[in-house]
C-alpha cells in the first residue's frame, strides 16, 4: 500500500510539473489521473488497490463512531435509571480472527458494547471471556455486534 500511495503522489507531481502552471488544482487533477492509472495496473501489485483499503478503514471508523455513540446513550440510560436492575455474568465468545492487531481491535470494539468488558483472551487468541452487566441482553448484543466487528476488521487487515 505505501508503494501505491507514493507512486500516486509521484504521478500527481509529474502531472503538475508538465502543466503550464504549478497549482494545487493541477496537483489534484494529477492525483485523480494517478488513481485511474493505478486502478488500471493494479493487477501488477501484490497488495490490493490502496483506495479499497482506505474505504475499509473509513467503514471501520464510522462503525466505531456509531458504537461509541450507542454505548454512551445506553450507559447514560443505566446511570439515570432510579433502580439498578442488573444480572451480571461471564460468558465466552469464540473468534476466528488471527494476530494481535485483529484480536486487540475486536476486544476494544466489544468493550464499547454497553455493559460488556473483555476480561481475558486465551493464549491461542481464539476465545474471549467477557463480563456482561445484564446477562441475557449483554450476551445477545455482543454476539450480534461481534459478527459485524469481525467482518469490518477482516476487511481492513486481510486481502
Amino acid at each position: 500500500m505505501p508503494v501505491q500511495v507514493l507512486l500516486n503522489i509521484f504521478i500527481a507531481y509529474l502531472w503538475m510539473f508538465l502543466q503550464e502552471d504549478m497549482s494545487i488544482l493541477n496537483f489534484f487533477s494529477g492525483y485523480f489521473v494517478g488513481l485511474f492509472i493505478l486502478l488500471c495496473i493494479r493487477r501488477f501489485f501484490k497488495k490490493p488497490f490502496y483506495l479499497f483499503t482506505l474505504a475499509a478503514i473509513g467503514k471501520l471508523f464510522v462503525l466505531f463512531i456509531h458504537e461509541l455513540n450507542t454505548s454512551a446513550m445506553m450507559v447514560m440510560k443505566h446511570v439515570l435509571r432510579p433502580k439498578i436492575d442488573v444480572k451480571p455474568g461471564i460468558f465466552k465468545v469464540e473468534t476466528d480472527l488471527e494476530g494481535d492487531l485483529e484480536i486487540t481491535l475486536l476486544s476494544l470494539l466489544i468493550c464499547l458494547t454497553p455493559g460488556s468488558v473483555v476480561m481475558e483472551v486465551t493464549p491461542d487468541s481464539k476465545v474471549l471471556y467477557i463480563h456482561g452487566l445484564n446477562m441475557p441482553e449483554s450476551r445477545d448484543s455482543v454476539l450480534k455486534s461481534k459478527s459485524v466487528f469481525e467482518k469490518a476488521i477482516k476487511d481492513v487487515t486481510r486481502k
Side-chain angles (χ1 to χ4, degrees):
M1 185 170 121
V3 172
Q4 293 178 20
V5 173
L6 289 175
L7 188 59
N8 196 3
I9 291 172
F10 176 73
I11 292 171
Y13 273 114
L14 188 65
W15 180 270
M16 185 178 66
F17 288 136
L18 292 176
Q19 299 300 317
E20 289 181 11
D21 64 301
M22 288 191 277
S23 66
I24 194 75
L25 185 63
N26 280 335
F27 177 79
F28 282 122
S29 63
Y31 190 81
F32 289 119
V33 167
L35 278 176
F36 179 72
I37 291 171
L38 289 177
L39 185 65
C40 290
I41 63 170
R42 71 178 184 262
R43 64 186 175 125
F44 296 110
F45 295 112
K46 293 177 182 160
K47 303 267 183 169
F49 186 50
Y50 81 94
L51 211 54
F52 298 149
T53 306
L54 288 178
I57 290 171
K59 180 183 170 186
L60 182 63
F61 183 71
V62 167
L63 180 66
F64 167 74
I65 295 298
H66 176 265
E67 286 298 318
L68 184 65
N69 288 333
T70 304
S71 175
M73 292 298 163
M74 293 297 287
V75 167
M76 190 169 59
K77 187 173 109 177
H78 280 290
V79 168
L80 295 176
R81 188 178 299 162
K83 182 182 175 198
I84 297 176
D85 183 29
V86 294
K87 298 173 191 91
I90 298 172
F91 59 96
K92 72 176 187 174
V93 174
E94 295 182 5
T95 182
D96 59 344
L97 295 178
E98 301 168 352
D100 292 338
L101 176 67
E102 292 179 351
I103 298 298
T104 303
L105 280 174
L106 180 65
S107 298
L108 291 173
L109 288 172
I110 284 177
C111 285
L112 282 176
T113 306
S116 62
V117 175
V118 177
M119 293 175 33
E120 187 174 351
V121 179
T122 57
D124 63 348
S125 300
K126 294 297 178 190
V127 177
L128 304 170
Y129 289 99
I130 300 172
H131 179 271
L133 192 60
N134 285 332
M135 251 328 270
E137 297 166 7
S138 291
R139 181 175 173 82
D140 294 339
S141 65
V142 166
L143 292 176
K144 185 176 74 172
S145 60
K146 178 191 79 98
S147 61
V148 174
F149 295 151
E150 280 184 342
K151 184 182 179 319
I153 291 170
K154 285 179 186 177
D155 288 345
V156 170
T157 58
R158 300 179 188 175
K159 292 268 178 163

